Amino acid sequence: MSRLLWGFMLASGLLWFGGSAYAAGSGTTVPDFSLPSIAMNLGGGAGKPADLVNVLRIVLLLTVLTLAPAILVMMTSFTRVVIVLSFLRQSLGAQQMPPNQVIVGLSLFLSMFIMAPTWTKIQTEALNPYLEERMDQKTAFAKAEVPLREFMFGQTREKDLELFLSMSKIAKPKTRDEVPTYVLIPSFIVSELNTAFQMGFMLYLPFLVIDMVVSSILMAMGMMMLPPMTISLPFKLLLFVLVDGWGLVVGSIVKSFG
């Protein structure tokens, strides 16, 4: 996507400057066009602690923006969805069908659908009051953290949470509010991986049976040089379409977060 964006910008610039040169040579009036300038001045505040705090806030904000993809992948339902869909493609044996772009795109929109109630709570309780200047930044961050922690707690296994609590060597918390977020996040990720692999195993079973049946028939017929995948793939696709496989898989993924 980044290469496509840079290619589009470069092509647009070449077309613009090429058109400008052609218009200048032919005597046509070229409309004035200029991009808005953006300036950031971080100097001049060496003796003012308030200016240093503002600079640190800007640096922290830029750091958070660079971590946005990791936050999207690791703190939402995206991990489970993309792993289950990848297992589905491998169990079908359809190579690159559907392609990676479709798998990631479907996982992204399914994650938006699953996380919609959580995002709504964050927007209502934290984002809107902060934008309306009815809440300071620290309070808004604390309010936004609550719905996200509730979602992660709902999908985290107690076994994984106890594992990371024991490794963190902190006092055993009595309530969920006392569990640090840096302990909750890896516990949630490990739980998501376990759940996704369990669902992937269940997806493999019916297609594995088809592969075994086809392989046994080919061996009985003496056709050992013919790859079983060539014969079993159409039967897998037929079975998947007849049982409305996409609806069942997507519905199971969404219901697993209920």
Side-chain angles (χ1 to χ4, degrees):
M1 183 63 70
S2 60
R3 292 180 179 178
L4 181 62
L5 180 58
W6 282 109
F8 175 76
M9 295 174 62
L10 179 60
S12 300
L14 291 175
L15 289 175
W16 171 260
F17 289 114
S20 301
Y22 174 78
S26 60
T28 307
T29 303
V30 180
D32 187 15
F33 177 80
S34 60
L35 294 174
S37 60
I38 300 176
M40 180 181 295
N41 186 11
L42 302 179
K48 299 180 181 179
D51 294 337
L52 180 60
V53 171
N54 292 331
V55 172
L56 293 177
R57 287 180 177 177
I58 294 174
V59 174
L60 180 61
L61 178 60
L62 295 177
T63 304
V64 172
L65 290 177
T66 58
L67 296 176
I71 295 174
L72 173 65
V73 171
M74 296 302 178
M75 297 178 64
T76 64
S77 59
F78 183 85
T79 302
R80 183 189 305 185
V81 176
V82 74
I83 291 177
V84 172
L85 293 180
S86 298
F87 270 122
L88 174 62
R89 182 176 63 182
Q90 293 180 7
S91 62
L92 283 171
Q95 301 299 327
Q96 295 297 323
M97 290 297 165
N100 292 330
Q101 291 84 352
V102 176
I103 294 292
V104 174
L106 179 58
S107 302
L108 180 61
F109 282 103
L110 284 178
S111 300
M112 294 172 59
F113 177 80
I114 295 169
M115 299 296 297
T118 304
W119 300 141
T120 301
K121 289 183 180 180
I122 294 176
Q123 182 179 4
T124 304
E125 300 175 3
L127 182 59
N128 288 340
Y130 176 72
L131 295 178
E132 296 173 359
E133 298 183 355
R134 293 187 286 108
M135 186 181 299
D136 59 1
Q137 184 177 358
K138 184 177 180 180
T139 305
F141 181 79
K143 290 286 186 179
E145 192 178 15
V146 173
L148 194 58
R149 283 172 57 91
E150 290 179 356
F151 171 78
M152 289 191 291
F153 269 119
Q155 308 301 325
T156 304
R157 302 188 307 173
E158 294 184 2
K159 181 179 180 181
D160 297 327
L161 187 60
E162 291 176 357
L163 172 64
F164 282 93
L165 284 173
S166 62
M167 290 190 297
S168 63
K169 297 180 180 181
I170 61 175
K172 186 176 182 180
K174 298 180 180 179
T175 61
R176 287 184 171 183
D177 296 336
E178 298 178 359
V179 177
T181 303
Y182 72 88
V183 174
L184 175 60
I185 293 176
S187 305
F188 168 75
I189 296 172
V190 173
S191 298
E192 287 291 282
L193 291 175
N194 278 298
T195 304
F197 274 70
Q198 291 175 7
M199 298 179 69
F201 172 75
M202 298 302 296
L203 284 173
Y204 257 99
L205 288 180
F207 302 114
L208 180 61
V209 173
I210 296 177
D211 287 333
M212 294 177 63
V213 171
V214 172
S215 299
S216 301
I217 294 175
L218 292 178
M219 290 184 64
M221 297 175 62
M223 304 174 64
M224 298 180 182
M225 300 301 295
L226 181 63
M229 187 63 66
T230 306
I231 306 300
S232 62
L233 179 57
F235 290 100
K236 291 180 184 179
L237 296 177
L238 179 62
L239 174 64
F240 190 72
V241 172
L242 289 178
V243 299
D244 190 19
W246 285 111
L248 292 175
V249 172
V250 171
S252 299
I253 293 174
V254 175
K255 292 178 182 178
S256 67
F257 289 95

